Amino acid sequence: MKNFVTLFLLSCVVLTGCRAPKSGTATSPTQQPITTIAFGSCSDQKRPQPLWDDIVAQKPDIWIWLGDNIYGDSESMDTLRTKYALQKSNPVYQQLRQSTSIIGVWDDHDYGVNDGGKEYPRRKESQQVMLDFLDVPTNSPLRKQEGAYSSHTYGPKGQRVKVILLDARYFRDPLKKENKQNVPDPSGDMLGEAQWKWLEQQLTNSDADIHIIGSGVQVLPEEHVYEKWANFPTARQRLLNLVAKTKPKGALFISGDRHMAEVSKVSVPGLPYDLFDITSSGLTHVSAHMWKRTGIGLAKWSPNSITALLQLIGPRNR
Amino acid sequence: MVTKLNYGLITIDWAAKPLMATVRINGDDKATYLTQEITF
């Protein structure tokens, strides 16, 4: 009998893996290499959504929601569900769902509260509602963990892409403010220790060739007063240090939130390539206010990093 | 900086040596407003 049990357990390991689900891991590598990844943020479910046709036409392998996927702003889960349902009912988005792998993470408005962090009382329930929106199976390990962070791996070895989505809300400390303005809080954290540990595991000895790290709020920019990793400078530096320490192949950040798009870049000592933060926002509305405030050709330098904001002028000088 | 409705598009050139990804910010008028080539 003992031999039978041993044989059964060995067979189980060989045939199915028999491993406990990895926290934060949502998908397994696929055999086909992926070449096209689309992403976006800030989609008010009530407003016209003119970009879906273009996005579908690009035939992306993956669509990444980067937060403010609805404007929920409520502690009522029924309200969040209703707003997600409206977003999901868009007929062209439905086409995208049929043809593309959809993944994502939240920012504040879909989390449930503007500029919210770990103090939001319905975060646990809101996580489940968002996972419903993303069609995450009920038996996924993402359903059992605290926080909506996840990793997704695509493509065969040698052409492998890992998308790591950070949850910068669930464990984030409250913003520090002076005269109603955000000010840096060196003692505050963004991810919480469980997510930091998970992230290090995702980056250490990863066999992916490209690592796309998504965050609702911007990782690199420091110069503006809005939400950003730089509001918690110790956490931001910890993230950059972690990337430098683990040296994943081909890492870049993508982000949303800002109601405008920009590219930022930083050189990290110890990392053999520059780190970019590509911000895309928004899908349904942008901020003319931001445009007037920020102006043209802004570049910021600091002793430990270089951030360059690049600008392209479109039709009608916009 | 792009202040039009936009989405991001990452295209990976697996044949490029060194490996290269091109990121585009596309607007709602089918125009590309920002292009960034990233080599690793």
Side-chain angles (χ1 to χ4, degrees), chain A residues 8 30 71 86 104 107 114 128 153 191 220 234 256 274 299 307:
Chain A
F8 172 79
T30 54
Y71 281 70
L86 181 57
D107 196 31
N114 185 38
Q128 297 302 319
T153 306
L191 299 185
L220 296 185
T234 305
D274 290 332
T307 301

Side-chain angles (χ1 to χ4, degrees), chain A residues 38-90:
Chain A
F39 62 99
S41 67
C42 303
S43 183
D44 186 333
Q45 68 284 348
K46 299 189 306 297
R47 295 178 187 246
Q49 307 206 356
L51 284 164
W52 291 123
D53 280 319
D54 284 358
I55 294 166
V56 169
Q58 298 287 353
K59 298 181 178 175
D61 299 295
I62 311 167
W63 166 256
I64 306 174
W65 284 107
L66 275 181
D68 295 341
N69 308 326
I70 58 164
Y71 281 70
D73 299 303
S74 175
E75 293 185 9
S76 163
M77 295 304 105
D78 287 341
T79 297
L80 294 186
R81 281 191 198 92
T82 300
K83 292 179 175 180
Y84 275 124
L86 181 57
Q87 176 66 269
K88 205 168 184 176
S89 69
N90 181 287

Side-chain angles (χ1 to χ4, degrees), chain A residues 34-39 51 54 58 159 250 260-261 263 276 278 280-282 284-286 294 310-312 315, chain B residues 1-12 14 19 23 25-30 33-34 36 38-40:
Chain A
I34 63 163
T35 58
T36 307
I37 301 164
F39 62 99
L51 284 164
D54 284 358
Q58 298 287 353
Q159 293 177 307
M260 53 87 174
V263 173
F276 285 84
I278 312 293
S280 173
S281 168
T284 60
H285 51 304
V286 292
T294 309
L310 309 179
Q311 178 192 25
L312 264 67
Chain B
M1 181 181 299
V2 177
T3 56
K4 298 180 65 68
L5 299 184
N6 66 85
Y7 67 96
L9 192 71
I10 302 171
T11 308
I12 302 167
W14 290 110
L19 183 60
V23 185
I25 298 295
N26 292 342
D28 59 334
D29 53 2
K30 302 185 186 300
Y33 283 86
L34 195 155
Q36 178 67 56
I38 302 174
T39 54
F40 301 106

Side-chain angles (χ1 to χ4, degrees), chain A residues 5 16 27 48 66 87 98 115 145 148 184 189 205 213 244 246 252 262 284 301:
Chain A
V5 171
T16 69
T27 54
L66 275 181
Q87 176 66 269
Q98 298 301 316
D115 290 358
Q145 73 177 32
D189 190 19
N205 299 322
I213 305 172
T246 55
L252 75 149
E262 67 180 8
T284 60
W301 296 66

Side-chain angles (χ1 to χ4, degrees), chain A residues 21-29 101-104 131 136-137 140-143 145 148-154 163 165 198 202:
Chain A
K22 290 181 181 176
S23 176
T25 303
T27 54
S28 301
S101 173
I102 307 274
I103 59 176
L131 294 176
V136 173
S140 166
L142 299 184
R143 296 282 187 172
Q145 73 177 32
Y149 55 91
S150 63
S151 77
H152 312 259
T153 306
Y154 304 88
V163 181
L165 300 178
W198 166 85
Q202 292 300 319

